[in-house]
Amino acid sequence: MSDVQRIVIETGMGTDLHGGDATKAALRAVDDAMRRSSLPILGAIGLDHAAMEVRVTLGAQDPGSIDMDRIAAHMPRGRATVTAVPGGMTLESGAVVVTAAVEAFLPSQAGRWRLTDGDA
């Protein structure tokens, strides 16, 4: 989509304290971010969830170790794209910390709606 508007951005953090699995930590980070979001507006304005573009950005010490397809398949709504960038932490113990930013975009609604004073 070229003409989209971001409607939400949430961040989260996930860990795998014992297994050192960056994908598991990433899934937990995404869940942490999504736990704080609800999008009832889609039904209210008659848009299908398929119209929503979801962009997930993950920060990890070893971005290449994250299974991006698994993260994308985990997203409950919209069309997800996942990227990983350097960030997060790996501790001496092997514990892995991954951060996530989850952004949702809808097709531009410019000009489709107007506010009224309630008397209209």
Side-chain angles (χ1 to χ4, degrees), residues 9-103:
I9 182 169
E10 289 289 351
T11 60
M13 182 198 74
T15 62
D16 183 13
L17 297 177
H18 303 289
D21 184 333
T23 298
K24 183 187 284 187
L27 288 166
R28 290 175 176 168
V30 167
D31 285 345
D32 183 47
M34 290 191 307
R35 223 173 256 123
R36 290 180 291 281
S37 292
S38 178
L39 298 173
I41 191 167
L42 295 176
I45 63 174
L47 281 178
D48 187 279
H49 284 122
M52 184 172 58
E53 177 185 341
V54 179
R55 298 178 195 165
V56 179
T57 305
L58 303 166
Q61 283 289 295
D62 181 8
S65 67
I66 297 175
D67 183 342
M68 310 292 190
D69 292 334
R70 187 167 166 202
I71 305 300
H74 183 71
M75 303 308 294
R77 303 276 188 273
R79 296 171 288 104
T81 58
V82 181
T83 57
V85 299
M89 289 188 287
T90 300
L91 305 178
E92 279 185 33
S93 65
V96 175
V97 180
V98 174
T99 56
V102 179
E103 300 172 277

